[in-house]
Amino acid sequence: MAASADGFRVIAEHRCFDGVQGFYEHASAACDAPMRFSVYRPPTAVADPGTHLPALYYLAGLTCNEETFAIKAGAQRVAAELGLLLVAPDTSPRVRLPGDDAHWDFGLGAGFYVDATRAPWSAHYRMYTWITDELPRVVAAHFPVRNDARGIFGHSMGGHGALVCALRHPDRYRSASAFAPIAAPMESPWGRKAFSGYLGDYRDAWAAYDASRLVEQRRFPSPIRIDQGSADEFLAEQLYPERFVEAARRSGTEVQLHRHDGYGHGYWFVQSFVAEHLQHHHRLLLG
């Protein structure tokens, strides 16, 4: 299909639980590059395109892309039942820059949901603006969404991104949750590597993208759900969910931390509890 005036084009669409799982691209001004994302439209949206539904944004983790959640999480069955539209963006621009694939945890597939200020990344790696501002406008222009009922969640690096986006924009997101988030990235090797590479050495700039620093200073108006596996190989060194919980107490933000014995970090964990996350958002978005 040819691209529309805003650069939007359909890459592929597939029937799924009587809805449609689609993959799309648009010309991003924020990232100065073509950016890809996926959307699942539940049966109600397919049967009556005039029915506007809550939109739930999912941010994926390191090395993932716009296909990962759609293929691995098994969320479509529950979204079809609840009437939720699911949006899953890519995890970085795909413009090639020097050294962008030198490390698996920085560059391609590892945009960390920040607006980079350090060259050469600042030319394209403006993931925060794309996620919170530009992409919702593109989605609203092409899909039947309710702009007053938007939620956000994510996994690992995407859990970090979801918490930051929600805390900085409670006017745009009515609900938030995360699977095994990098909850205190200024204390995490992954976070310090990404922040120094994208933002430089100015730690005040880092704090604007640290969920634990943010939640300490501002109260999110609805409960935040976090799920964490006890056998997660990155828990001790990278994630620090307890720091987020303690910081949230200081602002009066309710955090529902669910610990699960024996679960690791990957999508076996995510798919085991994705239904609970969709139900959490459904209650808050329609309550």
Side-chain angles (χ1 to χ4, degrees):
M1 180 181 293
S4 64
D6 62 359
F8 174 86
R9 72 180 184 93
V10 178
I11 297 171
E13 292 185 326
H14 310 279
R15 192 75 168 174
C16 184
F17 294 108
D18 291 327
V20 174
Q21 177 64 61
F23 300 92
Y24 309 95
E25 182 180 85
H26 81 105
S28 169
C31 298
D32 192 22
M35 295 296 291
R36 292 191 171 191
F37 61 100
S38 68
V39 175
Y40 176 70
R41 284 176 285 152
T44 48
V46 175
D48 181 5
T51 300
H52 286 65
L53 301 174
L56 181 54
Y57 284 71
Y58 175 87
L59 307 186
L62 292 165
T63 74
C64 296
N65 59 30
E66 76 284 355
E67 296 181 335
T68 308
F69 177 73
I71 294 172
K72 291 186 175 184
Q76 293 93 340
R77 181 193 298 273
V78 181
E81 295 171 355
L82 297 177
L84 291 173
L85 190 140
L86 302 176
V87 183
D90 201 354
T91 55
S92 78
R94 299 294 164 168
V95 176
R96 297 311 306 265
L97 297 172
D100 60 11
D101 60 355
H103 305 278
W104 68 273
D105 55 357
F106 184 84
L108 289 175
F112 239 82
Y113 305 106
V114 305
D115 279 354
T117 56
R118 188 175 185 181
W121 315 101
S122 56
H124 300 286
Y125 279 62
R126 296 181 55 80
M127 293 294 292
Y128 177 78
T129 293
W130 182 54
I131 295 294
T132 60
D133 182 49
E134 187 178 26
L135 182 58
R137 288 189 280 109
V138 172
V139 170
H142 296 277
F143 299 93
V145 296
R146 283 179 50 183
N147 287 326
D148 65 337
R150 183 187 306 153
I152 191 166
F153 70 143
H155 171 234
S156 192
M157 176 185 74
H160 138 76
L163 294 175
V164 167
C165 291
L167 289 165
R168 289 179 61 170
H169 291 289
D171 56 325
R172 301 182 190 181
Y173 303 100
R174 288 179 57 183
S175 59
S177 70
F179 297 94
I182 304 171
M186 292 179 69
E187 311 304 322
S188 160
W190 281 340
R192 291 195 296 268
K193 181 175 184 176
F195 288 173
S196 62
Y198 294 132
L199 305 173
D201 297 327
Y202 188 51
R203 290 180 69 87
D204 283 352
W206 296 13
Y209 296 104
D210 187 301
S212 292
R213 300 291 182 98
L214 292 170
V215 78
E216 186 174 32
Q217 302 163 2
R218 59 191 77 187
R219 178 181 177 274
F220 193 70
S222 64
I224 296 174
R225 178 181 177 122
I226 294 177
D227 283 70
Q228 178 62 60
S230 67
D232 189 320
E233 60 270 38
F234 303 113
L235 176 57
E237 185 180 10
Q238 301 281 9
L239 305 183
Y240 303 118
E242 69 284 348
R243 298 193 186 185
F244 182 82
V245 172
E246 182 58 35
R249 289 196 186 102
R250 300 189 185 104
S251 68
T253 298
E254 180 183 350
V255 178
Q256 301 168 350
L257 177 59
H258 300 263
R259 300 181 184 273
H260 304 282
D261 289 343
Y263 282 89
H265 191 73
Y267 272 83
W268 302 115
F269 168 57
V270 172
Q271 66 183 243
S272 297
F273 302 101
V274 72
E276 286 85 345
H277 279 250
L278 267 61
Q279 291 158 1
H280 167 84
H281 288 275
H282 182 260
R283 286 192 299 270
L284 294 173
L285 294 176
L286 293 179

